[in-house]
């Protein structure tokens, strides 16, 4: 199995963490690319993923791209029923939270984190305060939904970690970073859940190196 990936990407982190969680990481040929210098513009990645994006996983003659369905496929193939339950109701909940994180919560958070953290790490200039202000309204709207869902639960769907936590939690390290400007103290259940995720072995193994180097 081959994985094209990069550091500091929540999309890559959740796929890498899934591979760790499933005990598959040692079987993976990891190709870690520096996007800032264009290392990902290479023929073998484009052959596997016409978008030329990471994460991309190649398993046999199959190419997996888009991180959320990639995690589901890997978990299903590994028979990880606890991590990715296959009954219709839970599958609906998994797909619902994955759609929600892409369209709403992590879209807002991603824009904020790009401005406050990533641009500085990649030397791409000062944060755009207008973008941050606009997305902060969206962040508050959707973080309140997540905080309510996590009330009385350790993880999004209940007492055990599932693929949904990895999907929604992808940006946890960046959101917890002191420079992120993300007002997590207003959402204590979200903050506690992010810290719970960071403590999981699969999550700890995939902590963004750029952040720890700077710490
Ligand atoms: N929706 C995709 C997003 C993939 C994506 O945008 N990857 C970024 C890194 S986070 C990338 O490869 N950027 C390089 C580029 O677009 O050229 C997923 O979940 O996998």
């Amino acid at each position: 199995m081959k994985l094209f990936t990069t550091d500091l990407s929540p999309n890559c982190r959740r796929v890498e963490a899934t591979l760790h969680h499933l005990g598959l990481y040692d079987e993976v040929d990891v190709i870690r690319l520096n996007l800032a210098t264009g290392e990902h513009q290479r023929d073998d990645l484009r052959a596997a993923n016409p978008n030329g994006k990471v994460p991309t996983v190649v398993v046999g003659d199959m190419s997996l791209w888009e991180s959320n369905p990639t995690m589901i496929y890997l978990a299903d193939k590994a028979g990880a029923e606890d991590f990715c339950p296959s009954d219709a109701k839970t599958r609906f909940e998994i797909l619902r939270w994955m759609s929600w994180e892409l369209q709403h919560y992590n879209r807002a958070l991603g824009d904020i984190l790009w401005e406050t953290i990533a641009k500085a790490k990649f030397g791409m200039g000062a944060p755009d305060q207008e973008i941050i202000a606009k997305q902060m309204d969206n962040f508050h709207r959707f973080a309140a939904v997540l905080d309510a869902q996590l009330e009385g639960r350790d993880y999004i769907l209940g007492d055990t970690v599932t693929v949904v936590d990895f999907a929604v939690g992808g940006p946890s390290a960046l959101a917890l970073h002191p420079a992120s400007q993300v007002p997590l103290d207003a959402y204590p259940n979200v903050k506690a859940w992010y810290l719970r995720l960071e403590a999981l072995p699969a999550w700890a193994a995939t902590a963004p190196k750029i952040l720890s180097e700077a710490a």
Side-chain angles (χ1 to χ4, degrees):
M1 195 185 315
K2 193 186 279 189
L3 167 71
F4 295 92
T5 189
T6 193
D7 199 24
L8 209 66
S9 155
N11 299 315
C12 291
R13 188 180 189 190
R14 54 196 180 182
V15 168
E16 289 198 43
T18 297
L19 288 163
H20 277 283
H21 185 81
L22 298 173
L24 296 173
Y25 202 82
D26 288 347
E27 296 171 24
V28 181
D29 174 15
V30 179
I31 301 167
R32 196 169 297 280
L33 302 166
N34 183 343
L35 304 191
T37 59
E39 275 181 8
H40 60 303
Q41 289 155 5
R42 42 191 277 169
D43 291 344
D44 54 351
L45 175 56
R46 199 161 287 278
N49 177 352
N51 302 288
K53 285 178 175 278
V54 292
T56 295
V57 179
V58 181
V59 198
D61 60 0
M62 195 167 168
S63 291
L64 312 176
W65 45 268
E66 287 300 323
S67 52
N68 281 337
T70 296
M71 290 188 292
I72 291 178
Y73 178 85
L74 291 169
D76 282 352
K77 287 299 273 187
E81 183 66 24
D82 288 352
F83 183 60
C84 191
S86 58
D87 66 278
K89 178 174 177 291
T90 313
R91 232 356 117 87
F92 166 74
E93 289 185 13
I94 289 169
L95 294 174
R96 170 166 60 190
W97 283 107
M98 285 181 166
S99 301
W100 176 86
E101 70 85 15
L102 269 181
Q103 187 65 22
H104 303 309
Y105 178 68
N106 280 333
R107 176 177 287 194
L109 194 53
D111 279 1
I112 295 168
L113 295 171
W114 175 259
E115 294 299 328
T116 57
I117 305 268
K119 272 168 87 170
K121 296 290 171 204
F122 297 133
M124 296 178 77
D128 183 327
Q129 295 301 336
E130 254 180 57
I131 294 177
I132 294 173
K134 177 173 168 254
Q135 289 296 23
M136 204 55 94
D137 289 345
N138 285 325
F139 173 76
H140 281 294
R141 177 176 176 186
F142 298 115
V145 173
L146 183 57
D147 205 67
Q149 175 68 16
L150 286 165
E151 182 67 38
R153 294 183 177 92
D154 278 353
Y155 297 100
I156 294 176
L157 298 186
D159 292 337
T160 56
V161 70
T162 69
V163 67
V164 159
D165 298 292
F166 284 21
V168 181
S172 59
L174 290 84
L176 288 164
H177 192 278
S180 75
Q181 297 183 29
V182 177
L184 281 183
D185 288 338
Y187 302 99
N189 294 327
V190 174
K191 185 172 182 180
W193 165 76
Y194 275 156
L195 292 169
R196 209 170 286 127
L197 271 183
E198 291 293 334
L200 293 175
W203 214 245
T206 55
K209 290 176 199 55
I210 287 185
L211 291 185
S212 47
E213 277 161 12

